[in-house]
Amino acid sequence: MAAAAAPGALGAVQAGRARWVAAGCMWLGPGLRLSGSWAGWRVCPAVWAQAWAPTAWGPAPRRGYSSEVKSEDELRVRHLEEENRGIVVLGINRAYGKNSFSKNLIKTLSKAVDSLKSDKKVRTIIIRSEVPGIFCAGADLKERAKMHSSEVGPFVSKIRAVINDIANLPVPTIAAIDGLAIGGGLELALACDIRVAASSAKMGLVETKLAIIPGGGGTQRLPRAIGMSLAKELIFSARVLDGQEAKAVGLVSHVPEQNQEGDAAYRKALDLAREFLPQGPVAMRVAKLAINQGMEVDLVTGLAIEEACYAQTIPTKDRLEGLLAFKEKRPPRYKGE
């Protein structure tokens, strides 16, 4: 299959849309050139180099971590080892602030995400809380109250930028919601590809209660997740949903019953991450890109994006390994090449 879409199909794409898609296709890989309307756009190789890093708590006692983490850290980055190698867990650990977004937490989260972008060992990222009963309570309102009004806008922009960076990570991301996720906490979860919430979890965009609106992408991602009318209803009412209610409206994919340890959502997220590990790394990256970019455009443009993404898998060693493994009736040994 060729990298370029059929000229007839591309002729139907509006110029503005083509520019947008070209910007999105920068993720596809070094040197990719699209023909037709997109011929002038050159792919940036930077994002193609993005990858991942492993980390997490397993359902069993903690073991096999590549590094120890200081207890005072507000964000714990755990690289899982052994059978979970390739899974990274970002654990928010700010109990005294209910895991709310402080300046320090946002700075730390931003640095962690930046490092994960270029780590080719990472296969899946799980975002969870290490504080029982809380996922993330949104912005730190105590800190916010001390800010001058001129500081608020730039700080919210930083939160939005970090959440956008998480949404743009090249590997699958899973939010494990084992407690309260309101405001920016739910916006953080919405930026993940998959959301798992324990039955006892509570979540909602409650900003209108404070005479503001969601500022971390909530007004855009919630409608895309559950539909515009229902998203408006939830934002206008500042309603908080439990796990089952969130599942009923399509906000989360899985709702395990909470366990004694309080980490049912995390355990389910880890199970999902393990399902992703055997698949081809390059294929996972371009599949995510094709889905994300394609959902924002019309079908004709989306199919052209899929074609360009598919073309990126053809010359890979992984694709040949997959065919050989199938022929030899053995598990493939993918290297992300």
Side-chain angles (χ1 to χ4, degrees):
M1 185 172 292
L10 289 179
V13 181
Q14 297 177 351
R17 185 83 58 140
R19 287 193 297 271
W20 183 91
V21 173
C25 284
M26 67 180 288
W27 285 59
L28 294 179
L32 174 65
R33 237 184 227 287
L34 301 179
S35 66
S37 304
W38 302 345
W41 294 97
R42 188 79 179 165
V43 175
C44 170
V47 184
W48 185 242
Q50 291 181 358
W52 334 310
T55 180
W57 299 5
R62 287 187 260 173
R63 59 185 174 80
Y65 299 134
S66 60
S67 59
E68 292 299 320
V69 184
K70 296 179 180 179
S71 60
E72 67 266 25
D73 290 345
E74 292 189 342
L75 182 73
R76 298 179 177 180
V77 180
R78 300 184 184 277
H79 294 252
L80 292 189
E81 298 289 354
E82 300 174 5
E83 71 275 11
N84 295 321
R85 185 183 298 274
I87 301 173
V88 177
V89 177
L90 299 180
I92 306 174
N93 184 44
R94 193 169 183 260
Y96 51 89
K98 295 184 178 180
N99 284 352
S100 57
F101 291 135
S102 64
K103 290 180 179 179
N104 183 63
L105 179 58
I106 289 299
K107 180 180 178 180
T108 304
L109 185 58
S110 179
K111 289 175 65 176
V113 172
D114 281 345
S115 70
L116 294 177
K117 287 179 184 178
S118 55
D119 189 337
K120 293 187 177 181
K121 296 178 182 178
V122 182
R123 303 291 297 277
T124 299
I125 297 168
I126 298 173
I127 299 179
R128 66 162 301 182
S129 167
E130 299 196 3
V131 179
I134 295 289
F135 176 72
C136 175
D140 186 335
L141 297 183
K142 291 182 179 179
E143 186 180 78
R144 178 76 57 85
K146 298 175 183 178
M147 292 183 187
H148 188 273
S149 58
S150 62
E151 298 178 274
V152 176
F155 179 62
V156 174
S157 293
K158 289 180 182 178
I159 295 177
R160 187 184 303 113
V162 171
I163 291 176
N164 285 342
D165 285 344
I166 290 169
N168 291 326
L169 282 166
V171 295
T173 53
I174 307 172
I177 307 171
D178 274 306
L180 187 68
I182 59 172
L186 180 54
E187 290 176 306
L188 173 63
L190 282 166
C192 294
D193 299 313
I194 300 166
R195 288 167 292 283
V196 179
S199 54
S200 59
K202 302 289 184 183
M203 62 205 83
L205 297 179
V206 299
E207 285 86 348
T208 53
K209 281 189 175 182
L210 298 173
I212 56 175
I213 69 170
T219 63
Q220 303 305 305
R221 292 193 176 95
L222 186 63
R224 285 167 169 77
I226 66 174
M228 183 168 64
S229 180
L230 187 53
K232 286 179 177 178
E233 180 180 328
L234 295 181
I235 292 173
F236 294 166
S237 65
R239 189 180 305 157
V240 174
L241 307 179
D242 62 26
Q244 292 295 344
E245 290 170 329
K247 175 70 163 57
V249 301
L251 182 53
V252 301
S253 301
H254 302 275
V255 188
E257 287 295 320
Q258 189 56 281
N259 55 31
Q260 263 190 328
E261 293 79 12
D263 65 352
Y266 171 67
R267 294 189 185 213
K268 178 61 180 178
L270 190 56
D271 288 342
L272 291 173
R274 289 183 182 126
E275 285 189 58
F276 303 161
L277 287 178
Q279 321 314 329
V282 176
M284 295 291 279
R285 281 180 257 176
V286 295
K288 175 172 177 174
L289 175 63
I291 295 168
N292 284 357
Q293 301 293 344
M295 288 301 293
E296 301 299 323
V297 300
D298 58 86
L299 181 60
V300 171
T301 308
L303 291 172
I305 292 172
E306 179 185 86
E307 189 169 9
C309 287
Y310 188 99
Q312 292 297 297
T313 67
I314 295 175
T316 64
K317 294 179 181 179
D318 281 352
R319 184 182 74 87
L320 299 178
E321 165 62 17
L323 291 173
L324 184 61
F326 179 80
K327 180 181 177 180
E328 297 176 352
K329 296 181 171 56
R330 62 169 173 80
R333 294 183 289 270
Y334 295 127
K335 298 180 179 179
E337 300 175 354

